[in-house]
Amino acid sequence: MRHMRSLVLFLTLMAVPFGAASADTGKDDGQKIIRNGEQASIKGPASCFTGNVRIDPLYPANNAMRSSGGVTFEPGARSNWHVHPVGQVLIVTAGLGLTQEWGKPVQIIRPGDVVICPVGVKHWHGAAPNSSMTHISICEEKEPGKVVQWLEPVTDAQYDAR
């Protein structure tokens, strides 16, 4: 049951802009500080990821902020192939990772690297075989509930082709 709740929360986070569930009164209440650990982490579901993946929302969404949070991939873990209707930006914050665009070679990504995934480009990203990797994912929805289209898993042969 806990896994199902995590899956529902993950899919909600990936399909709905962060904070869309919160009330937007239009009133500016000023800055808000969200303390480290206030946002619950969830396990990335096996339907979207291979290996151990943790999704850490950085902040609750609101109707004006339509971006995502942080994702940590344990060594060898990776996303499925996927596309974004408005594109995606990844900011690598820790570890050593890999990313690949369909039909192109696997690329190594390191802390401080910024990966820009264009609109509709099939790609995957994850950790290197012997290192975890954390990135901040920034992506927006084009239509309500349309942030990502998950595709097939990355095979071991595709992952190892570096």
Side-chain angles (χ1 to χ4, degrees):
M1 185 65 171
R2 181 175 179 208
H3 176 69
M4 183 56 75
R5 282 193 304 264
S6 294
L7 175 59
V8 169
L9 176 59
F10 171 76
L11 294 175
T12 300
L13 293 175
M14 295 305 289
V16 177
F18 280 83
S22 65
D24 183 5
T25 63
K27 179 182 169 190
D28 181 8
D29 293 330
Q31 288 184 331
K32 176 179 170 107
I33 297 174
I34 299 168
R35 303 291 179 199
N36 187 12
E38 287 182 358
Q39 299 291 109
S41 297
I42 60 171
K43 181 174 175 41
S47 61
C48 303
F49 299 99
T50 297
N52 292 320
V53 176
R54 185 183 74 238
I55 301 163
D56 296 307
L58 299 176
Y59 47 84
N62 64 45
N63 290 329
M65 297 171 58
R66 302 181 304 173
S67 55
S68 329
V71 179
T72 298
F73 297 83
E74 293 301 318
R78 57 206 180 252
S79 70
N80 283 7
W81 288 99
H82 60 283
V83 298
H84 297 275
V86 183
Q88 178 184 43
V89 173
L90 305 175
I91 303 168
V92 181
T93 59
L96 187 66
L98 303 173
T99 187
Q100 183 179 21
E101 182 179 324
W102 186 259
K104 295 188 178 179
V106 173
Q107 300 288 315
I108 296 172
I109 51 178
R110 296 177 173 82
D113 289 351
V114 176
V115 180
I116 300 171
C117 308
V119 173
V121 171
K122 185 175 178 178
H123 68 283
W124 66 268
H125 34 88
N130 297 314
S131 175
S132 62
M133 187 271 294
T134 300
H135 66 61
I136 295 171
S137 171
I138 302 169
C139 51
E140 296 186 26
E141 63 181 22
K142 184 173 186 174
E143 303 169 19
K146 303 285 183 179
V147 173
V148 61
Q149 178 185 359
W150 291 106
L151 304 169
E152 71 275 11
V154 174
T155 65
D156 290 342
Q158 290 168 326
Y159 177 80
D160 291 331
R162 40 182 202 290

